[in-house]
Amino acid sequence: LWSIFDCLVTDCNPSTYAHNHSHCDFGFYPNAGPNFYRNTDSETNTNRFAASYFHASPHSDTKFAQVSARVRNAIVRIETPVGSGSGTIINSAGEILTNNHVVSGYSNVNVLINDAVTVPGVVVGFHELIDVAIVNVGYRPLTFMPLSTRRPIIGEEITTIGYPRVDLVGIQGGSTLTRGIVSAIRVVAGQTFIQTDAAINPGNSGGAAIDRDGNCIGIPTAKFLEADNFGLLVPGFDVSNLVQQL
């Protein structure tokens, strides 16, 4: 899969990267052809379809902003010696859901919480094929956002939250929010994904995609480099039981 899609962390563990046909963590299509390659740059998404099809009222925009502000501190930045990604605090016990390719090869990571404090985190479980992992931190108190099991409706509006790679985009600051829609629900090589046109940039892997009520419906994981506004989310409804077992 990752020879088709950028895994959004860019600096993966070199040994893992080389072992899996020059892509991150696992490869369903190692010989996909010359048009499929990894991305090293950020990407801007104008969301033209979302803007024309969903003309939100000022009231709904205000609600969305309020919901995003409420859950934003549940999103963290995860750093390893070779790169960085994002994660979502999913419970009060300090468990953080992220992508496996963000932490692959490392048992200990650094976690930036509330854009203010960096604490040590321990990788306590992962599933390489589904590309999910759990990191635990001892820091308290925490803002958390449980993973939703609701299957989103195609066409509904969502927001993605994550930490773009500052060394790639050339700016400093906290997490960023981008808006889009659920474009489709697709099965790729036997795995279910939510397709979205919300902008997903390097470093956003492991963050959250939330609906208008602030429910985490998926994990930003990859984007298709040869098409505009084509990102993939690992769906909460598909992996919630797995996450509880990690």
Side-chain angles (χ1 to χ4, degrees), residues 65 78 100 103 120 137 194 215 219:
I78 298 176
N100 179 63
V103 299
V137 295
I194 298 171
N215 302 307
I219 312 160

Side-chain angles (χ1 to χ4, degrees), residues 17 23 32 75 109 111 115 137-138 140 154 169 222 225 234:
Y17 184 86
H23 50 74
I75 310 303
V109 297
V111 180
D115 292 332
V137 295
R140 302 292 187 275
I154 294 174
V169 299
L225 301 178
V234 173

Side-chain angles (χ1 to χ4, degrees), residues 71-203:
V71 302
R72 190 171 184 178
N73 281 342
I75 310 303
V76 302
R77 177 182 171 93
I78 298 176
E79 299 175 343
T80 72
V82 296
S84 67
S86 304
T88 302
I89 305 170
I90 58 173
N91 57 40
S92 61
E95 291 184 331
I96 299 169
L97 177 63
T98 186
N99 286 130
N100 179 63
H101 73 254
V102 172
V103 299
S104 179
Y106 295 94
S107 300
N108 298 283
V109 297
N110 290 322
V111 180
L112 175 66
I113 298 174
N114 297 341
D115 292 332
V117 58
T118 299
V119 300
V122 178
V123 179
V124 296
F126 63 90
H127 194 294
E128 187 174 4
L129 184 63
I130 306 299
D131 196 21
V132 294
I134 295 291
V135 175
N136 190 267
V137 295
Y139 181 83
R140 302 292 187 275
L142 294 169
T143 300
F144 63 93
M145 178 169 46
L147 186 63
S148 173
T149 60
R150 183 181 72 84
R151 189 182 185 96
I153 301 171
I154 294 174
E156 75 171 87
E157 196 168 20
I158 62 172
T159 295
T160 61
I161 312 176
Y163 282 83
R165 288 277 307 277
V166 295
D167 57 321
L168 294 179
V169 299
I171 58 174
Q172 299 291 327
S175 61
T176 59
L177 286 73
T178 59
R179 288 172 66 173
I181 63 168
V182 174
S183 303
I185 297 186
R186 299 190 180 279
V187 176
V188 180
Q191 184 174 346
T192 301
F193 292 95
I194 298 171
Q195 178 188 330
T196 182
D197 69 344
I200 302 176
N201 297 303

Side-chain angles (χ1 to χ4, degrees), residues 205-221:
S205 281
I210 65 171
D211 62 18
R212 296 191 67 86
D213 294 319
N215 302 307
C216 179
I217 63 164
I219 312 160
T221 298

